[in-house]
């Protein structure tokens, strides 16, 4: 929006924010109550007052490359106290939604993830790939005998699909973060003597303990849901990698015994993640609005997570109950959803973890996010 | 009119009976030759009132009621026309502020009674000045204010003459494309409706409209104003009863706004010019006719600016929001920027502000304008600093609109051409706006019977001008109606006294003609005052000013007050009972003393209070009287004067203060320390300070010792 020093408000950006949760952004009359009640903003140049103004002026560049937008944890304290009903928390969420699209590399992926019209086509991609793989390996018939998922998809076959997908996701994430970081540095260069290691360390500690969430008032309950899911997710991530190590290094094959430590960690993680997301979903549906308005971004992300966990748990239960038809179908769905989550992670709300982490590191390095 | 013997009453209720020895007090009227006073613990009750009413029925025409303040129960103690009632304030003025049963309290009550008796003896029920009056209302200026005033007066039954300088009515509102919303939900600009208003005037039989016309002269007084109007058809003369001046405003000259780019690019225009540019629907920039897709509105252009108009012009915020709506309605891709100091959209206007703020293409920020520079391609660059973003904002726009404020048309003068000794215009207060008591009597001007309405009086929008004008029209009618029965308008509404002048002793010093806050006196060539009693507001400033003491009212005159001062008993020096005379303005100071009584503030019992119509009516001779009598000090309580004056007669307390400046010499000749006279500005809510002010003054008097004249006084 900046050309020759002139501000040129981006009407399309304002429309995008309004569509993606920031419908009331123009109502702000700059009283700054939001910045006063916010417990997570830095004292100097606090948000979200100035972000509201930037949003009203359609200043896309300043918002998409702002670390402050990500320091916000969507507590909703600002929205609860806004005298004008401008819902600053929703507006910042809308800015983040717009960022998922605008920061995405390749950007076309961001655009596809941003609209419901593309949902079925992008869901069809993993289905088609997995069916293709299945057809080319051993046909679509159900394997005989004890239920063993590696009979359907041998591990080498799964890895041959998911390792490239993982590489794609990691590469896209790296490029998106790089774009974001460069943008942040362009708007506000980091000091030369910035201590990056300390910034990373601070950020990790902060994330592990969910310190920012603890400061929320209006939406204080969310901390527990997020924490349960967060640690459950980490446990599952470790489990997945351990299973790979078992397979390739120790030659221990799945299904693992229920008392195997890796299996136990996986089951524990699944239960925690399930409980966490259930909590989130229930509060989204039955809450009194303290979670803010939910957008397409929120629901696709939450539901993809929830269905992934449900199908994961379902696969295990169906296997233990010895219901082959059910087990293999649910497992197929589970793999599809994992593909969906993994491949589209850098372009969906899932990517908030990397943008927020990057913004927190940047802010600490800039001396702006001290505790 | 004489009412015969004075009949005294002493109420013993409300603590009076407990504070003073009533039997001793009763001897005071008897000593003055009056009948034995009647007592009752409750004269304001049915039984008490009957006692008085029976006396009235038996022929008593002059009643002296020693009870509560004259400011209370005035209606209850009104026994009809021709029965004179004088009140002595034993309650708020004595019992409630003094130590009960104390000798000093007793002496205070006795003095108050003596002063009341003298006052009753020295005054008469006023004979009103009554003439056959014309009741037509003249409205000068046919904009929305003039139209509204005319319609309101006509609908209330008055004949109206409406004089407009243009060829047609409608004024500024006629030039507008739309007006900002006045109807729910207050979200869209509306048609001005001015043509319908003009039709209403044309259909109103009581209104006579003279267009392309000019008032050439107004002489006379309320009910008797002789007006000369020149129009296309020639000059005509007629008589009216009252005048409403609704000549509106003129936009602040944009030539003075060069710092905001005016004159440096044709694409910098004023809000008034923009209004005309918007009529066609598509807004084009003047330089090349290109459609204006970005427009910057600069608020407070020349308003709230010490180098230009220091005040808020009140309509510009809503006007710019409305014009932003023009921009956005003309093209959905167009952008409107509004740079403001504060958005002022009071009351329901807030709905429109919210509506416009919610528009994606309207960008608002608080800012100071740092630079407005024309660019080669015809665009204009606007740089705003001190913005809400914390950084300077620079925008490139097709058009800049300066939200220029309003100046009162009264500043030009010439609308009324009054044939008054004090000048042809309504006296102004600040920035050219006509002077009035802006808190208590905002419609009033300092020319009785002439009311300023609409933007000529105060910056306002058309909605407010309508109601303002309706109020002024009703005031104009009230003025002629009261005048026709010899009664005054504010602040002494209903007063029928008026100044009577013994011309044989006049020295033509012109003090009265110069000092009257209302320009009541005209003057002949020699300087002899020519009174216009219907212009009088009964403040008595002329009476206080007159060195010859030849101006008096039937119920208020120099000798009355002098006699009251002489009625005060002065105890011998050795008794150490100083006496301090208090002159208190009846508008704010007297109520403050009553408040002190109500809240039981302890005041020195050595003060003797005389209430004046206005401190402007203070005659210097009274100070002479007081000090030669042996009074030790004089305290003057008047309203705040100066720029934010509170004086109900605008200049009264200021004139009194001025007269005090000349007092030193007189007192010096008498060997009296000037510090024995002290002037205080007092508002009604200052009653809490009264105890302290009076206490400090008493200490000062004690330190100076008694008045040296005390021993010579009898």
């Amino acid at each position: 929006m900046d050309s020759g020093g002139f501000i040129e408000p981006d009407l399309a950006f304002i429309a995008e924010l309004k569509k993606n949760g920031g419908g009331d952004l123009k109502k702000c009359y700059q009283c700054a109550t939001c910045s006063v009640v916010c417990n997570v903003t830095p004292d100097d140049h606090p948000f979200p007052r100035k972000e509201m103004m930037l949003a009203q002026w359609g200043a896309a560049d300043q918002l998409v490359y702002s670390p402050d937008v990500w320091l916000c944890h969507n507590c909703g304290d600002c929205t609860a106290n806004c005298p004008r009903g401008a819902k600053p928390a929703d507006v910042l969420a809308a800015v983040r939604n717009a960022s998922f699209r605008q920061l995405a590399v390749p950007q076309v992926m961001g655009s596809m993830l941003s609209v419901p019209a593309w949902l079925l086509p992008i869901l069809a991609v993993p289905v088609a790939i997995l069916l293709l793989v299945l057809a080319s390996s051993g046909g679509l018939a159900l394997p005989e005998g004890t239920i063993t998922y590696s009979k359907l998809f041998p591990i080498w076959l799964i890895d041959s699909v998911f390792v490239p997908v993982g590489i794609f996701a990691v590469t896209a994430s790296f490029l998106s973060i790089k774009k974001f970081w460069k943008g942040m540095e362009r708007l506000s260069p980091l000091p030369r003597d910035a201590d990056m290691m300390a910034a990373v360390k601070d950020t990790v500690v902060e994330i592990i303990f969910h310190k920012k969430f603890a400061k929320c008032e209006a939406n204080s309950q969310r901390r527990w849901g997020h924490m349960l899911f967060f640690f459950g997710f980490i446990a599952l991530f470790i489990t997945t990698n351990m299973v790979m190590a078992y397979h390739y290094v120790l030659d221990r094959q799945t299904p693992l015994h229920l008392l195997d430590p890796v299996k136990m960690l996986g089951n524990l993680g699944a239960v925690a993640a399930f409980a966490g997301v259930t909590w989130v979903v229930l509060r989204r549906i039955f809450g009194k609005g303290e979670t803010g308005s939910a957008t397409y971004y929120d629901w696709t992300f939450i539901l993809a997570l929830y269905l992934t966990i449900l199908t994961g748990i379902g696969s295990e239960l169906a296997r233990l109950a010895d219901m082959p038809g059910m087990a293999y179908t649910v497992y197929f769905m589970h793999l599809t959803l994992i593909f969906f989550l993994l491949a589209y992670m850098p372009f969906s709300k899932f990517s908030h973890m990397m943008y927020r982490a990057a913004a927190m590191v940047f802010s600490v390095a800039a001396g702006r996010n001290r505790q | 009119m004489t009412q015969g013997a004075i009949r005294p009453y002493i109420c013993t209720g409300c603590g009076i009976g407990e504070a003073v020895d009533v039997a001793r007090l009763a001897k005071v009227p008897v000593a003055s030759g009056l009948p034995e006073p009647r007592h009752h613990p409750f004269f304001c009750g049915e039984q008490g009132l009957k006692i008085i009413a029976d006396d009235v029925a038996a022929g008593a025409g002059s009643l002296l009621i020693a009870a509560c303040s004259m400011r209370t129960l005035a209606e209850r103690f009104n026994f009809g026309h021709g029965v004179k009632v004088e009140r002595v304030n034993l309650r708020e003025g004595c019992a409630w502020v003094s130590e009960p049963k104390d000798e000093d309290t007793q002496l205070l009550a006795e003095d108050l009674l003596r002063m009341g008796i003298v006052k009753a003896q020295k005054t008469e029920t006023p004979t009103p000045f009554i003439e056959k009056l014309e009741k037509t209302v003249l409205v000068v200026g046919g904009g929305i204010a003039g139209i509204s005033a005319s319609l309101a007066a006509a609908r209330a039954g008055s004949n109206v003459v409406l004089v407009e300088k243009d060829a047609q009515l409608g004024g500024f509102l006629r030039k507008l494309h739309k007006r900002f919303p006045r109807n729910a939900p207050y979200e869209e600009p509306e048609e001005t409706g001015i043509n319908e208003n003009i039709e209403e005037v044309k259909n109103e039989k009581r209104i006579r409209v003279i267009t392309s016309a000019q008032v050439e002269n107004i002489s006379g007084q309320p009910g008797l104003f002789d007006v000369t109007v020149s129009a296309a058809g020639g000059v005509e003369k007629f008589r009216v009863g009252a005048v409403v001046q609704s000549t509106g405003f003129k936009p602040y000259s944009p030539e003075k706004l060069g710092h905001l780019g005016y004159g440096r690019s044709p694409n910098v225009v004023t809000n008034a010019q923009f209004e005309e540019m918007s009529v066609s629907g598509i807004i084009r920039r003047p330089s090349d006719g290109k459609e204006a897709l970005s427009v910057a509105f600069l608020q407070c252009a020349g308003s709230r600016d010490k180098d230009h108009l220091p005040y808020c012009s009140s309509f510009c915020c809503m006007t710019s929001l409305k014009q932003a709506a023009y921009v956005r309605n003309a093209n959905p891709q167009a952008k409107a920027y509004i740079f403001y100091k504060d958005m002022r959209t009071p009351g329901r206007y807030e709905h429109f502000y919210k509506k416009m703020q919610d528009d994606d293409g309207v960008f608002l920020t608080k800012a100071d304008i740092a630079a407005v520079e024309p660019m080669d391609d015809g665009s204009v660059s606007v740089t705003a600093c001190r913005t809400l973003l914390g950084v300077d904002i620079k925008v490139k726009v097709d058009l800049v609109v300066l939200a220029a404020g309003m100046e009162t048309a009264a500043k030009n003068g010439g609308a009324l051409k009054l044939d008054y000794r004090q000048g042809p215009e309504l006296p102004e207060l600040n920035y050219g706006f006509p002077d009035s008591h802006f808190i208590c009597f905002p419609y009033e001007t300092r020319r009785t019977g002439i009311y300023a309405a609409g933007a000529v009086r105060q910056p306002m929008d058309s909605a407010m001008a309508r109601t303002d004008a309706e109020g002024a029209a009703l005031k104009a009618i009230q003025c002629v109606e009261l005048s026709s029965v010899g009664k005054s308008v504010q602040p002494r509404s209903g007063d029928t006294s008026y100044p009577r002048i013994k011309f044989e002793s006049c020295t033509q010093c012109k003090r009265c003609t110069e000092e009257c806050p209302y320009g009541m006196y005209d003057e002949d060539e020699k300087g002899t005052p020519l009174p216009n009693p219907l212009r009088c507001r009964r403040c008595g400033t002329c009476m206080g000013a007159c060195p010859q003491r030849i101006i008096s009212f039937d119920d208020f005159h120099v000798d009355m007050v002098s006699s009251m001062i002489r009625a005060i008993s002065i105890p011998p020096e050795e008794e150490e009972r100083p006496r301090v005379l208090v002159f208190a303005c009846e508008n704010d100071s007297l109520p403050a003393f009553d408040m002190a009584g109500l809240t039981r503030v302890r005041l020195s019992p050595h003060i003797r209070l005389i209430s004046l119509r206005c401190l402007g009516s203070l005659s210097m001779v009274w100070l002479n009287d007081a000090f030669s009598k042996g009074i030790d000090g004089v305290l003057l309580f008047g309203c705040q004067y100066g720029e934010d004056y509170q004086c109900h007669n605008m200049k009264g307390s200021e004139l009194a203060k001025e007269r005090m400046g000349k007092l030193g010499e007189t007192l010096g000749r008498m060997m009296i320390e000037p510090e024995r006279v002290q002037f205080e500005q007092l508002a009604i809510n200052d009653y809490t300070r009264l105890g302290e002010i009076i206490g400090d003054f008493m200490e000062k008097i004690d330190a100076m010792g008694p008045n040296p004249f005390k021993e010579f006084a009898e």
Side-chain angles (χ1 to χ4, degrees):
Chain A
M1 71 159 216
D2 213 313
S3 56
F6 290 109
I7 280 187
E8 189 54 63
D10 183 343
L11 291 180
F13 182 67
I14 297 172
E16 183 178 2
L17 294 183
K18 281 191 159 183
K19 196 184 84 185
N20 288 318
D24 294 308
L25 72 93
K26 282 293 224 170
K27 291 182 180 169
C28 166
Y29 63 175
Q30 292 286 299
C31 68
T33 300
C34 49
S35 290
V36 173
V37 299
C38 180
N39 291 328
V40 301
T41 177
D43 293 340
D44 187 37
H45 290 79
F47 63 80
R49 200 258 325 151
K50 63 182 192 309
E51 283 69 22
M52 292 303 287
M53 172 89 182
L54 289 167
Q56 290 182 329
W57 278 64
D61 200 54
Q62 266 95 331
L63 287 172
V64 169
Y65 295 107
S66 156
D68 281 13
V69 166
W70 296 95
L71 298 187
C72 164
H73 280 50
N74 206 6
C75 307
D77 292 354
C78 48
T79 294
N81 289 285
C82 176
R84 201 78 159 181
K87 307 198 180 92
D90 283 358
V91 173
L92 288 198
V95 171
R96 290 188 292 268
N97 289 340
S99 302
F100 298 140
R101 184 181 71 76
Q102 299 213 6
L103 293 173
V105 181
Q107 217 190 322
V108 63
M109 291 299 297
S111 300
M112 285 197 294
L113 266 290
S114 71
V115 282
W118 276 95
L119 181 60
L120 282 179
I122 58 174
L123 197 57
V125 171
V127 174
I129 290 178
L130 289 173
L131 283 176
L132 211 64
V133 167
L134 208 55
S136 62
S137 68
L140 296 170
L142 289 183
E144 299 293 324
T146 14
I147 302 172
T148 307
Y149 290 128
S150 54
K151 285 187 194 162
L152 189 66
F153 285 106
I155 295 211
W156 67 268
L157 195 57
I158 290 194
D159 288 348
S160 67
V161 173
F162 282 84
V163 168
V165 169
I167 291 170
F168 168 75
V170 168
T171 312
S173 298
F174 175 77
L175 292 174
S176 300
I177 289 294
K178 194 175 155 202
K179 184 177 175 184
F180 178 49
W181 192 276
K182 278 183 132 174
M184 289 193 293
E185 279 217 283
R186 174 165 52 80
L187 292 182
S188 143
L190 282 175
R192 275 165 192 277
D193 58 351
D195 185 346
M196 295 308 294
M197 282 319 292
V200 170
K201 190 180 138 244
D202 270 18
T203 302
V204 169
V205 170
E206 189 169 305
I207 290 173
I208 287 175
F209 292 102
H210 278 50
K211 285 183 176 177
K212 295 271 184 198
F213 286 95
K215 293 178 177 175
C216 290
E217 291 175 23
N219 195 12
S220 57
Q221 300 302 309
R222 187 190 40 163
R223 184 186 183 201
W224 307 111
H226 194 274
M227 240 180 174
L228 276 172
F229 174 76
F230 178 79
F231 287 112
F233 178 79
I234 287 177
L236 289 167
F237 183 75
I238 294 171
T239 306
T240 307
N241 289 294
M242 288 301 290
V243 167
M244 274 179 83
Y246 271 15
H247 175 70
Y248 291 112
V249 183
L250 302 176
D251 199 24
R252 283 170 74 169
Q253 302 308 326
T254 53
L256 300 174
H257 190 271
L258 280 175
L259 293 176
D260 186 289
V262 171
K263 188 73 192 174
M264 278 163 59
L265 180 67
N267 281 339
L268 203 63
V271 170
F274 172 74
V277 183
T278 304
W279 182 236
V280 168
V281 168
L282 289 179
R283 281 172 33 79
R284 283 270 179 199
I285 295 173
F286 299 107
K288 295 193 180 82
E290 68 275 15
T291 53
S293 60
T295 60
Y296 174 67
Y297 286 93
D298 299 309
W299 281 122
T300 44
F301 174 51
I302 294 172
L303 289 178
L305 282 181
Y306 206 30
L307 291 173
T308 305
I309 297 165
L310 284 175
T311 51
I313 295 171
S315 304
E316 186 174 345
L317 293 178
R319 177 173 63 79
L320 295 174
D322 199 20
M323 298 160 67
M326 172 78 98
Y328 287 114
T329 312
V330 173
Y331 180 64
F332 184 86
M333 287 164 67
H334 184 58
L335 286 185
T336 306
L337 286 158
I338 288 177
F339 187 108
F340 184 91
L341 273 183
L342 187 62
Y344 304 139
M345 186 282 283
F347 323 109
S348 71
K349 193 181 171 181
F350 210 174
S351 65
H352 78 273
M353 60 180 182
M354 64 189 199
Y355 291 123
R356 178 161 282 135
M360 285 161 91
V361 171
F362 186 91
S363 295
V364 177
R368 197 166 155 59
N369 194 27
R370 292 202 189 89
Q371 293 304 307
Chain B
M1 200 189 292
T2 321
Q3 276 97 358
I6 299 162
R7 163 129 293 287
Y9 303 86
I10 299 176
C11 185
T12 57
C14 293
I16 297 170
E18 290 79 54
V20 297
D21 180 344
V22 177
R24 237 178 96 191
L25 190 60
K27 291 179 186 157
V28 171
V30 178
S32 305
L34 268 51
E36 181 79 27
R38 299 193 197 285
H39 309 179
H40 193 271
F42 199 28
F43 266 121
C44 57
E46 205 176 317
Q47 207 185 22
L49 286 170
K50 188 172 180 304
I51 295 172
I52 304 177
D54 288 347
D55 285 342
V56 170
S62 179
L63 314 174
L64 184 74
I65 303 174
C68 41
S69 164
M70 68 161 182
R71 296 180 59 256
T72 61
L73 305 176
E75 282 308 304
R76 217 175 289 180
F77 290 129
N78 178 1
F79 295 93
H81 185 66
V83 181
K84 195 175 86 176
V85 176
E86 196 55 57
R87 306 274 297 273
V88 175
N89 185 5
L90 291 184
R91 190 177 73 170
E92 290 89 340
C94 175
W96 283 358
V97 291
S98 316
E99 192 63 32
K101 296 291 183 202
D102 189 82
E103 179 60 14
D104 283 323
T105 307
Q106 183 72 23
L107 294 177
L108 170 60
E110 290 178 10
D111 270 350
L112 288 176
L113 199 50
R114 276 187 207 102
M115 290 157 80
I117 290 166
V118 168
K119 189 177 176 194
Q121 287 167 338
K122 289 281 179 180
T123 57
E124 290 179 5
T125 300
T127 310
F129 178 93
I130 294 181
E131 294 266 316
K132 173 137 186 55
L133 303 183
E134 173 59 50
K135 293 185 177 177
T136 298
V137 175
L138 170 68
V139 177
V140 183
I144 189 59
I147 287 173
S148 305
S150 301
L151 287 170
R155 285 165 187 172
S158 289
N159 290 323
V160 176
V161 180
L162 172 56
V163 175
E164 164 58 42
K165 70 175 182 335
D166 282 350
Q168 48 175 316
L169 297 177
F172 199 77
L173 203 52
R174 194 162 47 81
K175 298 178 193 157
L176 299 188
H177 173 31
K178 299 256 175 87
R179 70 165 188 224
F180 38 80
R182 280 194 357 206
N183 296 298
Y186 310 97
E187 289 184 345
E188 293 297 330
E190 296 171 358
E191 298 301 321
T192 62
I194 189 68
N195 291 328
E196 290 77 359
N197 297 136
I198 294 170
E199 274 309 299
E200 283 178 83
V201 170
K202 285 182 182 158
N203 294 334
E204 186 57 67
K205 290 189 183 59
R206 292 180 190 275
I207 303 176
R208 193 180 144 222
V209 180
I210 313 177
T211 50
S212 306
Q214 178 89 32
V215 173
E216 294 300 343
N217 182 271
I218 298 177
S219 63
Q221 50 188 325
L224 301 169
F225 282 123
D226 289 314
V227 183
T228 309
V229 170
S230 69
V235 174
E236 70 171 298
K237 297 186 178 203
F238 51 88
R239 175 165 281 190
V240 300
V243 182
V244 174
Q245 182 182 353
S246 49
T247 47
F249 71 99
K250 48 174 190 163
Y252 187 64
S253 303
E255 287 74 27
K256 296 176 189 165
L257 300 174
H259 63 294
L260 296 177
Y262 195 87
R264 286 189 285 133
S265 162
N267 296 333
V268 179
V269 300
T270 66
N271 44 4
Q273 290 163 332
F274 187 75
E275 205 62 39
E276 289 167 39
M277 292 163 59
S278 314
V279 177
S280 73
I282 294 178
I283 299 153
R284 299 184 183 284
R285 62 186 199 189
S287 66
D288 53 8
K290 173 187 172 291
E291 187 180 356
L293 289 177
S294 53
V295 181
F297 295 89
L298 312 188
Q299 297 307 106
C300 295
S303 294
R304 301 175 67 197
D305 180 338
K306 62 178 167 45
D307 298 327
H308 298 275
L309 304 176
Y311 51 83
C312 169
S313 292
S314 87
F315 77 104
C316 331
C317 285
M318 281 297 282
T319 297
S320 290
L321 288 170
K322 176 190 74 176
Q323 294 180 340
Y326 296 165
V327 173
R328 292 287 296 153
N329 291 340
N331 189 324
Q333 288 307 308
K335 293 166 184 167
Y337 303 88
I338 301 180
F339 297 97
Y340 60 83
K341 283 186 182 150
D342 305 283
M343 288 306 283
R344 293 186 170 176
T345 52
R348 287 166 178 158
Y349 289 159
E350 188 77 357
H351 293 289
F352 187 56
Y353 170 44
K354 283 182 171 176
K355 167 75 190 320
M356 291 315 298
Q357 193 195 12
D358 208 26
D359 189 311
D360 286 7
V362 176
F363 307 101
L364 292 138
T365 182
K366 190 182 182 83
D368 288 343
I369 300 302
V372 180
E373 295 298 335
M375 299 174 72
D376 291 339
D377 63 353
S379 308
V380 186
S381 139
V382 177
T383 309
C385 58
R386 292 164 54 79
T387 70
L388 289 168
L389 277 179
V391 294
D392 289 1
I393 292 178
K394 221 167 115 187
V395 292
K396 180 181 170 186
V397 291
D398 289 326
L399 204 57
V400 168
V401 178
L402 304 182
M406 50 171 68
E407 282 189 283
T408 172
K411 208 170 182 178
N412 296 351
L416 301 180
K417 300 198 183 71
L418 300 175
D419 201 354
Y420 276 48
R421 184 251 181 254
Q422 288 184 359
E425 306 298 337
L426 298 178
E428 68 172 74
L429 178 60
N430 278 331
Y431 323 123
F433 291 102
D435 192 6
S436 77
H437 192 286
F438 55 90
I439 294 173
C440 300
F441 320 113
Y443 295 115
E444 296 285 352
T445 67
R446 284 176 53 193
R447 295 293 174 256
T448 307
I450 304 178
Y451 298 86
V456 73
R457 181 175 84 70
Q458 178 189 307
M460 63 178 78
D461 63 36
S462 66
M464 186 170 161
R466 281 170 203 264
T467 51
D468 197 60
E470 285 163 4
L474 298 183
K475 279 283 163 193
I477 293 170
Q478 187 187 50
C479 178
V480 283
E481 291 298 334
L482 284 169
S483 297
S484 69
V485 289
K487 289 181 176 174
S488 172
V489 293
Q490 286 152 339
R492 287 186 64 83
S493 304
D495 189 355
T496 52
S497 69
Y498 63 94
R500 297 176 184 274
I501 307 166
K502 287 190 198 123
F503 283 103
E504 57 275 21
S505 306
C506 175
T507 59
Q508 288 135 347
C509 73
K510 304 186 186 179
R511 293 254 321 259
C512 55
T513 65
E514 278 169 8
E515 291 191 9
C516 173
Y518 303 104
M520 188 271 245
Y521 296 94
D522 289 330
E523 220 172 80
D524 70 7
E525 315 80 63
K526 291 189 209 146
T528 313
L530 302 172
N532 295 277
L534 296 169
R535 293 182 194 165
C536 178
R537 304 269 269 275
R538 284 75 169 176
C539 62
T541 296
C542 52
M543 182 183 112
C546 181
Q548 292 295 98
R549 287 167 261 156
I550 58 169
I551 303 177
S552 56
F553 297 80
D554 288 340
D555 56 355
F556 182 58
H557 47 84
V558 176
D559 179 43
M560 174 197 102
V561 176
S562 291
S563 304
M564 287 169 78
I565 295 168
R566 281 194 289 273
I568 298 168
S569 67
I570 306 291
E573 203 179 308
E574 54 276 16
E575 279 191 29
E576 296 192 350
R577 293 196 157 100
R579 286 292 175 259
V580 164
L581 183 61
V582 171
F583 286 112
C585 158
E586 69 180 7
N587 294 300
D588 257 28
S589 303
L590 186 65
F593 272 92
D594 281 356
M595 286 295 288
L598 276 168
T599 51
R600 306 300 197 275
V601 172
R602 269 288 128 87
L603 301 179
S604 165
H606 301 307
I607 59 168
R608 300 293 180 262
L609 184 142
I610 295 178
S611 141
L612 301 180
R613 293 179 170 197
C614 173
L615 216 51
S617 66
L618 180 85
S619 175
M620 300 310 282
V621 74
W622 296 334
L623 300 175
N624 231 316
D625 289 342
F627 288 117
S628 35
K629 164 88 184 168
I631 297 278
D632 300 290
V634 178
L635 261 174
L636 308 172
F637 287 102
C639 305
Q640 183 182 325
Y641 57 84
E643 194 179 346
D644 295 325
Y645 70 81
Q646 290 283 310
C647 177
H648 286 47
N649 298 298
M650 290 82 183
K651 295 283 168 199
S653 55
E654 192 171 352
L655 287 167
K657 177 74 180 164
E658 245 179 72
R659 287 175 207 156
M660 287 304 106
K662 296 164 191 158
L663 181 73
E665 204 185 316
T666 321
L667 294 179
R669 270 204 302 275
M670 291 174 74
M671 310 288 280
I672 295 278
E673 303 89 334
E675 293 76 33
R676 287 188 187 270
V677 182
Q678 186 170 316
F679 182 98
E680 290 288 339
Q681 299 180 56
L682 197 76
I684 183 165
N685 53 332
D686 285 337
Y687 66 89
T688 50
R689 288 174 49 220
L690 270 178
E692 192 190 331
I693 295 172
I694 293 172
D696 290 351
F697 187 67
M698 296 308 298
E699 275 178 28
K700 203 162 86 176
I701 294 296
D702 278 347
M704 278 189 278
N707 175 353
F709 279 82
K710 214 183 267 281
E711 51 188 300
F712 304 116
E714 81 284 16

